[in-house]
């Protein structure tokens, strides 16, 4: 065959390829007679030739007559071949194709328990092939395909061309561009399969099957092998069986290989851990989290809090587990008294029969600092809030307080050690503070640049700003000033009293104020966001704290603020009064540049001191001041600080990385953009280039998306000034930082709750999908049977058709001449000529 390919000039086939041959006559000769007529005519010609030689060569022996007949018929056949302009149509063909779909959704990360002997033995063998990895459903599937140096795949490759996909929400082909082995001898397909992780954010098997059918519509596979647990999490229409009819219509049988056990999956999972990452020493540090259980409804789980490297338990609690997938809320608390960087571990004690212990613990890094905060309190007149807040902050040894009182006598600074003669006029003097509290001050009394410096104090310095609403200026008179950008709520001079508004009637106890709400006593109601903020925690547990806020002494005055701005969060709201956009906000916060802004729509929190002094009032204000001064605690390495927009990110959402330059001397060189390396599970690394932000030239940000679930560590790889970072020896800045020399931050990506809601193995779903598509279902312990039962399929063309003319070849002409000459000579010798 190789000789014929060479002789006719046909391209040589590759291993696994073949040739389809077809003789064709030129039109219209090929359409002159139907097939039956052609056969009949051929038979007439043969009979005629035989009859002629029977008549003319009676005296010749049968062998000689047969030879003459054969020569005549062969000559006529060659003549017919030439007259019909016959050619040879050649097409290179490849092996039939086979599609393999591997489920990489989060449910494939579960481990199962097997009590029957055969499944348990096969699972144990595959688990050993998966080496040190847990025996999850996905790892068993990977071991089936790649175990014994990829024997399963090698058997299929002998008879089929493989198209391998991974799928969760959609299908994505693995990289099969390299058919040869890699330099280290590892099969690239085997290596690619081994890197797969159970990190899909949704499971839509029907969507994946339809996508693969469309991808391979030009050469449908002989079968579609689906390695899955049969779970679909996004709706009934995305179940595998919903794609079975379409697969059958395209003659592609579905062959599911099921991974899982019919026994219920029992598991306790800790998720959604929320805690501060930087705190002051002697401040309460609360760890709030959710506990989800499967198969343990009504049981109690014990949670413990400890520091890594220490055996002593800091705090412990018990929670009653809810129905499958429903979260139970838990809290643990520590009051760290020593400075340092600590890793806290929250752990749930394993329950009997639990299959997965990997998700029983969560870690959180916390930086504890003991710093003195510098606070500036500015007010127009000594309102009651000012009179109570000033001594509170003065008494705290961790606070260095300065005050500005616009309406005070000139001698006031000589009589009060905290009083300043005027509001700080230089940028440097204002930037020396950590938190600035602005009451109902008149901005006209400030210097020309002071208001702009306040904006820069928040956006660039990363300072905290608290705005306390008042009856005359704050916030209505600030809307058209640089402070208007900082306000987390919309406000304008037209909807408030403005500069000429009257004071509240009846002094501090009145209830009607222009720009304010006419209201009877009310108690602020915490929002969902407010209940999660440690700064608003006035009692131990979340339940106790909510009840406490509902019993605090009532407030009587509230500024009627507009709607919150995009990105702002309402922490507390009026329980009954509303504006056109929802409940009236009482406490609102928003991030602005590198800092944080907090707005109080009331100036009556001092009423919380009734009968209890500073038990709640003092705790709230001191916690809030510390919360807004976290930029001081974070410090920064090399004059820079790297943060994320949140520490826990739902999978599928992007993460914002922000680099803040604390020291102007560390400002990036012209044209140099900082780069951040993000390292995640299984050593995956990505580089994010940060861009300068319009609100400040000292802030750079960038986003990264499509991250699988797991823990991540990010660090500055390219310093702003182009200097090499302090790493473990690498010169390109790509290795993980060592020590405190490089700004870094940790965050965690978690799988959406819906993806882990359904955990039970869906064998019936797989059996139904196989039956409807005329395929076969195999449990994973019987998957080896598929190697001997795989549908053969049809070969597919891998090249365009090649036409090789035969009628005009000199070899045929010479052969025809030789045949005619041989017949003439034979007839001459027989005396027939």
């Amino acid at each position: 065959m190789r000789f014929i390919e060479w002789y006719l000039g046909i391209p040589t086939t590759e291993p696994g390829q073949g040739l389809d041959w077809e003789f064709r006559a030129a039109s219209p000769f090929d359409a002159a007679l139907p097939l039956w007529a052609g056969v009949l005519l051929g038979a007439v010609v043969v009979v005629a030739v035989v009859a002629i030689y029977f008549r003319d060569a009676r005296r010749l022996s049968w062998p000689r007559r047969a030879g003459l007949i054969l020569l005549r018929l062969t000559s006529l056949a060659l003549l017919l071949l030439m007259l019909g302009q016959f050619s040879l149509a050649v097409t290179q063909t490849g092996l039939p194709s086979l599609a393999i779909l591997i489920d990489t959704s989060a449910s494939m990360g579960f481990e199962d328990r097997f009590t029957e002997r055969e499944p348990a033995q096969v699972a144990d063998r595959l688990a050993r092939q998966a080496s040190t990895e847990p025996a999850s459903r996905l790892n068993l599937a990977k071991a089936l395909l790649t175990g014994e140096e990829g024997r399963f795949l090698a058997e299929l490759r002998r008879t089929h061309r493989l198209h391998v996909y991974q799928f969760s929400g959609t299908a994505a082909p693995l990289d099969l561009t390299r058919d040869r082995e890699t330099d280290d001898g590892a099969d690239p397909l085997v290596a690619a399969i081994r890197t797969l992780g159970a990190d899909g954010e949704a499971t839509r098997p029907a969507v994946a099957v339809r996508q693969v059918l469309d991808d391979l519509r030009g050469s449908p596979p002989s079968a579609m092998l689906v390695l899955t647990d049969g779970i679909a999490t996004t709706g009934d229409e995305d179940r595998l069986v919903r794609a079975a009819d379409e697969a059958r219509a395209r003659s592609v049988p579905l062959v599911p290989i099921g991974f899982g056990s019919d026994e219920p999956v029992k598991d306790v999972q800790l998720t959604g851990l929320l805690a501060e990452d930087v705190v002051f020493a002697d401040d309460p540090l609360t760890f709030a989290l959710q506990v989800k259980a499967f198969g343990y409804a009504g049981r109690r789980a014990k949670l413990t809090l400890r520091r890594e490297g220490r055996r002593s338990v800091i705090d412990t609690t018990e929670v009653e587990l809810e129905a499958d997938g429903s979260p139970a809320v838990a809290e643990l608390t520590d009051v760290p008294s020593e400075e340092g960087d600590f890793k806290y571990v929250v752990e749930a004690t394993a329950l009997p029969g639990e299959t997965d212990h990997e998700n029983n613990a969560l870690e959180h890094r916390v930086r504890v600092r003991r710093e003195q905060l510098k606070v500036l309190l500015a007010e127009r007149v000594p309102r009651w809030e000012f009179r109570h807040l000033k001594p509170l902050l003065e008494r705290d040894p961790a606070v260095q307080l300065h005050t500005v009182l616009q309406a005070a006598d000139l001698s006031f600074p000589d009589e009060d050690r905290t009083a300043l003669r005027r509001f700080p006029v230089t940028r440097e003097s204002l930037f020396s503070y950590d938190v600035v509290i602005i009451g109902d001050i008149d901005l006209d009394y400030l210097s020309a640049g002071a208001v702009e410096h306040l904006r820069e104090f928040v956006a660039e310095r990363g300072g905290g700003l608290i705005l306390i609403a008042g009856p005359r200026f704050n916030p209505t008179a600030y809307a058209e000033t640089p402070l208007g950008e900082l306000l987390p709520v919309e406000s304008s001079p037209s909807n408030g009293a403005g500069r000429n508004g009257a004071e509240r009637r009846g002094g501090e106890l009145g209830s009607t104020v222009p720009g304010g709400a006419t209201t009877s006593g009310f108690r602020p109601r915490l929002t969902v966001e407010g209940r999660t903020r440690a700064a608003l925690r006035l009692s131990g547990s979340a339940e106790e704290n909510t009840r406490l806020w509902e019993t605090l002494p009532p407030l009587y005055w509230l500024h009627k603020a507009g709607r919150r701005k995009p990105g702002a969060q309402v922490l507390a709201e009026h329980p009954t009064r509303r504006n056109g956009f929802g409940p009236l906000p009482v406490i609102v916060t928003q991030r602005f540049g590198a800092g944080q802004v907090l707005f109080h729509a009331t100036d009556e929190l001092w009423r919380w001191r009734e009968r209890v002094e500073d038990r709640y009032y003092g705790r709230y204000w001191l916690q809030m001041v510390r919360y807004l001064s976290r930029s001081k605690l974070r410090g920064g390495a090399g004059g820079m600080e790297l943060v994320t927009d949140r520490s826990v990110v739902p999978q599928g959402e992007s993460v914002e990385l922000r680099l803040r330059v604390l020291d102007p001397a560390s400002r990036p060189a012209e044209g140099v953009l900082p780069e951040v390396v993000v390292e995640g599970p299984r050593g995956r690394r990505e580089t994010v280039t940060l861009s300068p932000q319009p609100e400040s030239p000292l802030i750079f940000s960038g986003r990264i998306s499509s991250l699988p679930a797991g823990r991540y560590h990010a660090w500055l790889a390219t310093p702003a000034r182009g200097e090499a970072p302090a790493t473990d020896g690498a010169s390109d800045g790509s290795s993980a930082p060592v020590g405190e020399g490089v700004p870094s931050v940790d965050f965690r990506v978690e799988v959406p709750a819906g993806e882990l809601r359904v955990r039970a193995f869906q064998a019936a779903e797989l059996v139904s999908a196989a039956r409807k598509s005329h395929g076969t279902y195999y449990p994973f312990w019987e998957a080896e049977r598929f190697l001997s039962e795989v549908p053969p399929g049809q070969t597919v063309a891998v090249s365009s058709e090649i036409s090789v003319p035969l009628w005009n070849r000199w070899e045929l002409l010479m052969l025809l001449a030789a045949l005619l000459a041989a017949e003439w000579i034979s007839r001459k010798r027989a005396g027939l000529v």
Side-chain angles (χ1 to χ4, degrees):
M1 185 62 68
R2 291 289 184 181
F3 173 77
I4 296 176
E5 293 176 11
W6 168 81
Y7 186 74
L8 296 179
I10 300 172
T12 305
T13 56
E14 299 292 335
Q17 294 182 345
L19 293 175
D20 273 349
W21 308 77
E22 183 181 357
F23 286 98
R24 291 181 181 174
S27 181
F29 186 87
D30 58 343
L33 293 174
L35 179 62
W36 65 269
V39 173
L40 180 60
L41 180 61
V44 170
V45 171
V46 170
V47 171
V49 170
V50 171
I52 290 173
Y53 273 103
F54 263 87
R55 185 195 63 190
D56 296 343
R58 291 179 179 178
R59 64 178 183 273
L60 297 179
S61 64
W62 272 107
R64 294 185 64 183
R65 274 190 286 179
L68 289 173
I69 292 172
L70 182 61
L71 288 174
R72 176 64 61 88
L73 290 177
T74 304
S75 299
L76 290 174
L78 288 178
L79 184 61
L80 180 65
L81 182 67
M82 298 175 68
L83 292 176
Q85 299 183 13
F86 275 83
S87 61
L88 183 65
V90 181
T91 304
Q92 289 186 346
T93 59
L95 295 174
S97 62
L98 177 71
I100 301 177
L101 279 70
I102 306 172
D103 187 350
T104 57
S105 62
S107 64
M108 289 291 286
F110 298 138
E111 295 183 53
D112 296 278
R113 299 174 67 89
F114 301 95
T115 55
E116 296 183 9
R117 181 177 179 181
E118 185 178 6
Q121 289 180 341
V122 176
D124 184 62
R125 175 174 58 83
L126 293 177
R128 289 196 302 270
Q129 294 177 4
S131 75
T132 59
E133 294 185 332
S136 65
R137 296 170 180 174
L138 178 59
N139 286 336
L140 294 180
K142 290 158 57 176
L144 172 67
L145 297 177
T146 64
E148 302 177 19
E149 299 182 353
R151 180 185 62 83
F152 193 93
L153 293 174
E155 289 290 326
L156 294 177
R157 276 173 159 169
R158 288 195 308 105
T159 56
H160 290 77
R161 183 166 176 256
L162 304 184
H163 300 274
V164 185
Y165 292 77
Q166 62 172 319
F167 78 92
S168 53
T170 58
L174 297 186
D175 184 8
L176 301 180
T177 57
R178 295 181 299 174
D179 292 331
R180 63 184 184 279
E181 293 186 343
T182 56
D183 294 337
D184 60 0
D187 186 329
L189 176 57
V190 170
I193 292 176
R194 286 174 176 168
T195 62
L196 296 178
D199 47 27
E201 60 191 62
T203 314
R204 308 176 67 190
V207 173
V209 167
R210 294 188 185 103
Q211 182 180 341
V212 174
L213 288 173
D214 290 340
D215 286 351
L216 305 179
R217 58 183 177 272
S219 55
S222 58
M224 190 175 296
L225 192 64
V226 186
L227 287 73
T228 180
D229 55 12
I231 295 175
T233 60
T234 54
D236 184 72
E237 290 302 316
D238 291 333
R239 293 164 47 207
L240 181 63
V241 72
R242 296 298 183 184
D245 288 337
E246 186 171 348
R248 182 182 60 189
R250 302 194 189 188
S251 301
V252 179
L254 298 180
V255 183
I257 296 183
F259 289 86
S261 170
D262 292 330
E263 301 176 32
V265 178
K266 291 188 175 183
D267 186 31
V268 174
Q269 176 193 13
L270 303 187
T271 184
L273 176 62
L274 295 175
E276 299 290 341
D277 53 359
V278 183
V279 297
F280 283 95
D282 300 322
D283 270 4
L285 172 60
T286 301
F287 297 83
L289 69 152
Q290 294 180 344
V291 185
K292 296 181 180 179
F294 297 84
Y296 293 110
R299 297 283 297 272
R300 299 190 67 82
K302 181 180 179 181
L303 306 181
T304 58
L305 173 67
R306 60 181 177 82
R307 290 183 187 173
E308 188 179 60
R310 300 185 183 182
R311 301 182 61 182
S312 59
V313 175
I314 299 172
D315 193 13
T316 182
T317 187
E318 286 191 358
V319 295
E320 183 174 342
L321 301 176
E322 304 289 344
D324 287 2
S326 299
V329 179
E331 286 188 351
L332 298 116
T333 304
D334 183 27
V335 183
S337 59
E338 54 184 316
E339 291 186 275
D341 294 344
F342 306 105
K343 180 187 288 186
Y344 285 85
V345 180
V346 180
E347 189 171 9
T349 303
L351 295 178
E354 191 173 353
T355 57
D356 184 5
H357 296 170
E358 294 293 321
N359 54 14
N360 282 35
L362 291 175
E363 298 176 351
H364 190 77
R365 297 179 184 271
V366 178
R367 182 178 300 172
V368 181
R369 294 292 182 263
R370 191 181 297 276
E371 304 277 354
Q372 187 177 45
L373 301 178
K374 194 172 180 181
V375 179
L376 175 63
L377 173 61
E379 184 58 273
R380 181 176 58 87
V381 295
R383 294 187 291 170
W384 285 112
E385 195 75 272
F386 178 88
R387 296 179 186 182
H388 290 281
L389 181 57
K390 178 179 178 293
L392 171 69
L393 298 178
E394 283 181 308
R395 291 192 298 268
D396 194 321
V399 175
Q400 180 185 354
L401 178 67
H402 288 157
T403 60
V404 174
L405 196 60
Q406 288 183 335
D409 296 334
L410 295 178
S411 60
F412 179 65
D414 298 326
E415 301 171 357
D416 191 314
R417 62 183 178 85
T418 68
L420 301 177
R421 295 189 180 277
R422 56 186 168 294
F423 195 89
V425 296
T426 66
R427 175 186 167 106
E428 291 73 20
S429 59
L430 184 61
F431 276 33
S432 67
Y433 292 95
D434 301 300
V435 178
V436 175
I437 304 174
I438 299 293
D440 197 28
I441 65 173
D442 186 352
L443 300 185
D444 286 347
Y445 285 86
L446 302 185
S447 64
V451 178
E452 182 60 35
H453 291 163
L454 263 177
R455 180 189 179 281
E456 296 171 351
F457 166 77
V458 178
E460 299 181 14
R461 159 69 171 78
L465 177 65
I466 302 177
L467 297 167
I468 305 176
R472 297 196 63 183
F473 301 102
N474 188 352
T476 53
Y478 299 170
E480 298 178 359
T481 72
L483 289 186
E485 290 185 74
L486 276 63
L487 284 168
V489 294
E490 293 183 351
S491 183
S492 64
S494 60
N495 64 11
R499 301 176 186 274
N500 299 320
E503 298 286 354
R504 57 163 62 89
R505 296 177 183 176
E508 292 296 338
L509 299 179
S511 61
T512 303
V513 181
T518 301
T519 177
S520 57
F522 72 95
R523 294 177 176 87
R525 180 178 61 194
L526 291 178
T527 63
V528 175
E529 292 82 2
R531 289 194 291 270
T532 63
R533 295 296 178 98
L536 277 71
R537 183 63 58 85
L538 306 181
S539 184
S541 68
E543 293 79 7
E544 293 175 359
N545 186 61
T546 301
R547 288 194 296 268
L548 176 61
W549 276 77
E550 294 171 351
T551 59
L552 289 171
L555 312 180
Y556 291 91
W557 181 80
L558 180 69
H559 172 78
K560 188 176 181 180
R563 63 179 174 184
R564 64 176 179 85
K565 292 181 179 178
Q569 291 184 321
V570 178
L571 305 182
E573 61 191 13
H574 196 288
T576 58
R577 297 295 299 274
R578 303 173 65 87
N579 56 21
F581 310 99
L584 286 175
V586 180
I587 302 175
V588 193
T589 185
Q590 78 169 355
R591 187 182 186 118
F592 187 84
Q596 196 85 9
V597 180
L598 184 77
F599 174 69
H600 284 181
T602 181
D603 62 354
E604 294 190 345
L605 297 188
W606 56 271
R607 295 183 182 275
W608 291 350
R609 301 187 72 242
E610 182 180 350
R611 295 191 180 94
V612 294
E613 295 297 327
D614 291 332
R615 181 186 301 175
Y616 306 128
Y617 181 78
R619 182 168 180 174
Y620 171 84
W621 273 107
L622 293 177
Q623 289 179 170
M624 190 58 72
V625 167
R626 284 171 166 80
Y627 170 74
L628 294 176
S629 62
R630 287 184 301 172
S631 62
K632 180 181 181 70
L633 292 182
R634 293 181 186 277
M640 293 173 285
E641 175 194 23
L642 183 65
V643 298
T644 58
D645 57 343
R646 46 196 164 165
S647 59
V648 180
V649 183
Q651 189 175 14
E653 298 185 13
S654 63
V655 184
E656 182 185 17
L657 296 160
R658 294 173 69 91
L659 179 70
R660 183 165 64 92
V661 181
L662 306 174
D663 182 1
S666 301
R667 183 174 177 173
E670 188 69 27
V672 176
L673 295 179
E675 292 185 345
V676 173
V677 174
V678 180
E679 184 175 33
R682 299 184 296 277
R684 163 181 172 161
R685 288 187 179 183
E686 292 189 38
T687 300
V688 182
T689 301
L690 308 185
S691 303
Q693 296 304 291
E695 64 261 29
S696 171
L698 300 181
I699 299 177
F700 298 80
S701 72
R703 287 189 172 273
I704 183 172
S705 58
S706 302
L707 295 176
R711 298 185 180 95
Y712 289 82
H713 181 65
W715 67 90
L716 185 64
T718 303
R721 291 175 292 181
E723 301 170 356
T727 65
D728 57 0
S731 60
D732 60 358
S734 61
S735 56
V738 176
E740 303 250 348
V742 178
S744 62
V745 67
D746 295 317
F747 62 94
R748 189 171 67 253
V749 177
E750 292 189 349
V751 176
E755 177 58 22
L756 299 178
R757 186 179 64 254
V758 181
R759 302 190 172 203
F761 174 50
Q762 305 293 315
E765 170 79 7
L766 303 182
V767 171
S768 178
R771 183 175 62 251
K772 290 187 68 175
S773 63
H774 296 170
T776 306
Y777 164 71
Y778 300 90
F780 74 90
W781 57 89
E782 297 179 2
E784 293 287 338
R785 286 174 38 211
F786 177 72
L787 296 178
S788 58
E789 299 173 2
V790 57
Q794 296 181 350
T795 58
V796 295
V798 297
S799 69
S800 57
E801 183 179 275
I802 301 173
S803 180
V804 181
L806 300 177
W807 65 274
N808 60 354
R809 296 187 68 88
W810 63 269
E811 297 93 334
L812 289 182
L813 182 60
M814 294 296 294
L815 179 58
L816 178 61
L819 290 173
L820 293 175
E823 182 184 6
W824 185 86
I825 293 173
S826 297
R827 287 175 63 89
K828 182 72 173 177
R829 289 183 176 179
L832 299 176
V833 177

